[in-house]
Amino acid sequence: MRVNPTLTRTWSAILFDLDGTITDSAPAITSSLAHTFELLGRPVPPVSELLAYVGPPLLAAFREYAGMTATEADEALVVYREHYSGEASLDTAIYPGIAGLLERIHAAGIPLALATSKPELNAVKILNHFDLAKYFTVIVGASEDEVRSAKADIVKEALVRLADAGADLSAPVMVGDRSYDAEGAAANNVPAILVEWGYGSPAEAAAATAVVHSTDQLAKLLLG
């Protein structure tokens, strides 16, 4: 566990990423990505390369990793979402210990927000499927038109909705697994804890306030 010595352990609100933090969703995402590339007549990258798409906004990922134009990325996103919005999205699992941790945070009275780059309706569907939505005060994802897709904008919206719900935002914290989570949190002056069981590389942890490798360590930082 790496912890910034200035890290507070008394949090007024906690924001969680979804993919790679709460859920091991890589099988669902990479399957839908492979389907997308195949349907568009493009070579299907190996799974090791497709894992890079898990976390960042997909429009940006299609442009950066596949070299697509903006128009091609828009087309790819439509194909991807059509496949992923079905039963494919449920080919996922909750990381061990996470459900219990969310329950403990909720029981402690700390407001919880989901802040994910996944489309909001899909995020709600997945949390409901695993009976986790009941622990969250607000659930925020990317908008269907992708106007809200950057992690900084999603974190900002989550903070707005938490405030509207009456949450204390004096000491919020973000929990994620990629540099996008840490950077999106930092853009909103929120510290970030990155988990090592997700899809980020060791280099991505540099932007985080703390890094943990187990749910026990995460629980200690979040609940003391």
Side-chain angles (χ1 to χ4, degrees):
M1 177 167 62
R2 175 177 68 77
V3 180
N4 185 314
T6 63
L7 184 73
T8 177
R9 297 188 186 183
T10 304
W11 306 110
S12 64
I14 300 173
L15 290 70
F16 267 82
D17 174 49
L18 183 60
D19 298 325
T21 304
I22 294 175
T23 58
D24 181 7
S25 50
I29 294 172
T30 57
S31 173
S32 290
L33 285 168
H35 169 83
T36 299
F37 281 99
E38 185 175 1
L39 200 65
L40 294 176
R42 289 173 170 264
V44 178
V47 172
S48 58
E49 292 181 17
L50 291 177
L51 286 175
Y53 291 74
V54 184
L58 273 180
L59 277 179
F62 281 132
R63 293 194 295 267
E64 179 178 353
Y65 301 130
M68 294 183 183
T69 65
T71 300
E72 289 170 338
D74 286 339
E75 180 184 2
L77 184 65
V78 170
V79 174
Y80 171 87
R81 284 187 172 175
E82 183 177 353
H83 186 268
Y84 185 81
S85 62
E87 292 303 308
S89 65
L90 301 181
D91 182 17
T92 186
I94 305 299
Y95 286 109
I98 286 292
L101 176 56
L102 295 176
E103 182 179 15
R104 288 175 60 193
I105 294 169
H106 179 72
I110 304 172
L112 269 169
L114 189 79
T116 176
S117 295
K118 185 184 296 298
E120 194 165 303
L121 290 178
N122 284 345
V124 171
K125 175 183 175 181
I126 290 168
L127 289 182
N128 279 328
H129 176 74
F130 290 105
D131 197 29
L132 297 179
K134 62 188 178 185
Y135 299 130
F136 289 86
T137 302
V138 300
I139 298 172
V140 180
S143 57
E144 291 299 316
D145 59 6
E146 288 291 307
V147 170
R148 182 179 69 245
S149 63
K151 202 57 180 254
D153 293 337
I154 289 167
V155 171
K156 180 179 180 180
E157 178 65 16
L159 294 172
V160 167
R161 294 192 200 177
L162 281 171
D164 289 344
D168 174 7
L169 297 182
S170 60
V173 67
M174 175 79 196
V175 180
D177 71 309
R178 300 293 306 270
S179 59
Y180 306 98
D181 300 313
E183 292 162 2
N188 290 278
N189 298 312
V190 175
I193 300 171
L194 291 193
V195 302
E196 291 186 335
W197 58 76
Y199 309 122
S201 66
E204 294 185 53
T209 307
V211 178
V212 298
H213 68 254
S214 70
T215 52
D216 287 342
Q217 288 184 345
L218 180 58
K220 185 174 181 180
L221 286 185
L222 295 180
L223 296 170

